[in-house]
Amino acid sequence: MAAEQRRTVRTGTAPARPGAAPAARSTPAARRSAAVAALLGALAAAALSATAGCSERGAVADEHPGGGDPLSAVRRAADALSDAGTSRARTAMEMTSGGTRVTVSGDGAFDYAERRGLLRVVLPQAAEEPVTEVYAGGRLYMKNRGAGVPADKWLRLDTTRMADGNLVTNGATDPLTAAELLRGAREVRYVGEERVGDSVLRHYEGTADLDRAARSASPYARGALTAAADGFVRDTVLFDAYLDEAGRPRRVRHEFGLSGASPVRVASTVETYDFGVPAEVALPAGRDIYAGTVRHGGQRPAS
């Protein structure tokens, strides 16, 4: 690939757009409560009538490295990630509605062999501890979540019972589910080689079909993607995937559109790096699991 075809792509969390209206003066607790309500309440409600509004991106491009098939390369990304064993991960979720933009960032590590991972998610304007999210076999454990959950307790949720399969509801898409969604890819176009951080990666773009992804997914993500396919009004999702020479998804960006009282556009980005690093993820003890009612979003803890 010629040098002029390579571009530099920013990594990490996108900053808030300049010119946004300043937040009203309030206490840290009030700011955090408002942020949690916006993310875990409004998004959860919007996901009940979600629609992924998007259009096809065109046919497969020529000159794919090695003469392979771009569609197959993208659909195999989840297997390549599983074969990597472990990695660190960064997430960014940007929500835009009515001219307002909110960005949520996260970082952590995942063990793909054990199908477990941990993210520390920073809410907008939060002055307290990040929300800790532990992913394990279709269950999501959250600490410091707010919304009536005691600070020393974990909330346990069943992602297969969420209308969006937890693709956007709690402010992060975990890297394995993001990769599994690519199994539903169609009409993939190879864009070319692009630089992401210190690596030159192969950039693909196209649409993914949630129903197809659910049927093809590994057991880890099948239930969540099935819930998303049933819960979204339309099941096509735009994506950009950046794969390395081993086929691993180093950066994946999905675009979702949520309908409701005010339409919401959600761009979820996941980056993986430092493959092979230790990623020990412990599940919360049973005595530390919260069993009460969550104030925002109308969700009940998993039984």
Side-chain angles (χ1 to χ4, degrees):
M1 180 61 60
E4 57 269 20
Q5 289 183 280
R6 298 179 179 176
R7 296 184 294 168
T8 299
V9 180
R10 289 184 180 180
T11 63
T13 304
R17 176 168 293 182
R25 188 179 301 275
S26 61
T27 65
R31 290 199 302 270
R32 184 175 187 278
S33 177
V36 171
L39 293 171
L40 308 179
L43 271 179
L48 293 174
S49 57
T51 174
C54 59
S55 58
E56 300 296 340
R57 292 198 178 188
V60 173
D62 295 328
E63 300 181 0
H64 183 249
D69 176 11
L71 182 61
S72 297
V74 169
R75 288 181 176 176
R76 289 195 300 263
D79 291 330
L81 186 61
S82 294
D83 291 343
T86 63
S87 80
R88 293 195 55 79
R90 280 189 294 263
T91 66
M93 187 167 287
E94 184 179 85
M95 290 149 282
T96 306
S97 177
T100 300
R101 178 174 299 184
V102 176
T103 300
V104 181
S105 62
D107 72 270
F110 276 74
D111 185 327
Y112 305 114
E114 295 293 331
R115 298 294 196 265
R116 292 185 181 185
L118 180 147
L119 290 173
R120 287 170 292 273
V121 177
V122 179
L123 300 176
Q125 301 179 352
E128 300 180 18
E129 294 285 332
V131 178
T132 301
E133 301 185 0
V134 171
Y135 299 78
R139 294 293 176 95
L140 171 65
Y141 301 83
M142 304 179 71
K143 191 174 185 181
N144 199 37
R145 184 186 192 269
V149 180
D152 62 341
K153 294 293 184 181
W154 292 81
L155 181 69
R156 180 174 59 194
L157 298 173
D158 184 348
T159 60
T160 67
R161 296 170 60 186
M162 298 181 185
D164 71 331
N166 197 45
L167 290 177
V168 301
T169 299
N170 290 296
T173 308
D174 75 88
L176 192 52
T177 300
E180 291 282 353
L181 182 47
L182 296 177
R183 293 188 191 274
R186 65 187 190 188
E187 303 271 347
V188 178
R189 186 173 78 90
Y190 174 61
V191 179
E193 289 186 342
E194 299 184 16
R195 182 172 293 278
V196 177
D198 296 329
S199 303
V200 176
L201 306 177
R202 297 168 181 173
H203 179 192
Y204 303 84
E205 63 178 24
T207 59
D209 184 289
L210 280 167
D211 186 62
R212 181 182 307 190
R215 294 195 306 268
S216 304
S218 69
Y220 172 87
R222 187 175 300 146
L225 291 177
T226 297
D230 291 340
F232 279 65
V233 176
R234 292 184 61 189
D235 63 0
T236 49
V237 180
L238 290 174
F239 73 82
D240 286 89
Y242 298 79
L243 311 184
D244 61 18
E245 291 186 354
R248 299 174 300 196
R250 299 288 302 279
R251 187 174 193 259
V252 179
R253 183 179 187 273
H254 291 109
E255 289 189 16
F256 305 91
L258 307 181
S259 66
S262 179
V264 180
R265 185 187 66 82
V266 181
S268 176
T269 302
V270 178
E271 296 182 2
T272 58
Y273 60 102
D274 286 353
F275 294 100
V277 299
E280 297 180 2
V281 180
L283 299 183
R287 63 180 178 275
D288 296 327
I289 304 297
Y290 177 67
T293 301
V294 181
R295 284 203 301 262
H296 300 296
Q299 294 173 317
R300 290 285 302 178
S303 58

